[in-house]
Amino acid sequence: MRAPPLLLLLAACAPPPCAAAAPTPPGWEPTPDAPWCPYKVLPEGPEAGGGRLCFRSPARGFRCQAPGCALHAPAGRSLRASVLRNRSVLLQWRLAPAAARRVRAFALNCSWRGAYTRFPCERVLLGASCRDYLLPDVHDGVLYRLCLQPLPLRAGPAAAAPETPEPAECVEFTAEPAGMQDIVVAMTAVGGSICVMLVVICLLVAYITENLMRPALARPGLRRHP
């Protein structure tokens, strides 16, 4: 049994299902006894020192919900980036409890690719209790690469050799221009209005066919039978 054309049209015009905002999975948030995240934004250049010590409160209960946020999370990695619509990026990472006890700090390196070369942005040194960092004012339409490396504890007098640092994990993303997002939202609204208009036209045609055309076609047959 074939579906009526009107039902097919309604199904085609139905809006796509909205993706529910997934809550922050366990392990991505700092522990309750870490109310602050100490960090330093290091100056450009090969020197590792310098920078002013700052503090920020961790982003607890954060949810990345479209269309105001786009999540970039490589499979099997412990690093992810949530690109917000206000041109900022929330970087989050997680560690196993055993690995967290061997970390004294995190080194964050940021770079973005321009037309011909790659440019550095921020170099940040974060405390061992940090599990997120907010990168504000990213450029639109360029490829960013954020790499996070855990720094091991320094070797003590009784230690035979210092622990080897773990390899850095990186995530890449491109910030979508805010104007393009507005255009997509506007096109979605216009498409929905067009679908509603088509449904109304189909209902009007069906009404005219049922109530006006059939009586007009039946009148000649009635005249042949007095």
Side-chain angles (χ1 to χ4, degrees):
M1 181 178 179
R2 297 180 60 186
L6 183 58
L7 295 180
L8 294 177
L9 182 61
L10 289 173
C13 293
C18 297
T24 303
W28 287 94
E29 292 189 352
T31 57
D33 58 349
W36 299 101
C37 168
Y39 68 96
K40 281 185 177 181
V41 179
L42 304 178
E44 296 182 3
E47 67 275 4
R52 186 178 61 179
L53 181 63
C54 303
F55 295 87
R56 63 180 302 270
S57 57
R60 301 184 185 275
F62 173 77
R63 295 188 177 188
C64 186
Q65 184 176 6
C69 176
L71 181 63
H72 298 265
R77 298 296 184 93
S78 60
L79 181 67
R80 68 180 189 177
S82 300
V83 184
L84 305 176
R85 194 175 181 182
N86 60 357
R87 299 173 62 185
S88 61
V89 178
L90 180 64
L91 192 70
Q92 294 175 296
W93 61 92
R94 59 182 175 182
L95 284 179
R101 288 191 293 267
R102 300 193 302 266
V103 172
R104 64 178 174 88
F106 296 95
L108 174 64
N109 293 315
C110 170
S111 61
W112 60 278
R113 184 178 295 279
Y116 302 101
T117 184
R118 185 177 289 275
F119 299 93
C121 38
E122 289 186 351
R123 293 193 307 122
V124 186
L125 187 66
L126 301 112
S129 62
C130 298
R131 293 297 181 270
D132 57 38
Y133 180 72
L134 185 65
L135 184 69
D137 298 331
V138 298
H139 298 279
D140 297 336
V142 298
L143 181 63
Y144 276 85
R145 181 179 177 86
L146 299 178
C147 295
L148 185 76
Q149 182 179 20
L151 302 180
L153 294 172
R154 294 186 176 94
E163 295 189 21
T164 57
E166 297 184 10
E169 288 194 5
C170 300
V171 59
E172 293 185 348
F173 61 89
T174 301
E176 183 180 355
M180 183 61 66
Q181 294 180 352
D182 295 337
I183 292 175
V184 172
V185 173
M187 291 179 64
T188 304
V190 171
S193 302
I194 293 175
C195 287
V196 172
M197 292 178 60
L198 290 176
V199 171
V200 172
I201 292 174
C202 289
L203 293 175
L204 183 60
V205 170
Y207 175 79
I208 294 175
T209 303
E210 292 290 336
N211 296 276
L212 299 181
M213 299 297 294
R214 287 190 177 181
L217 294 175
R219 287 170 187 169
L222 294 175
R223 293 176 182 177
R224 289 196 295 266
H225 299 280

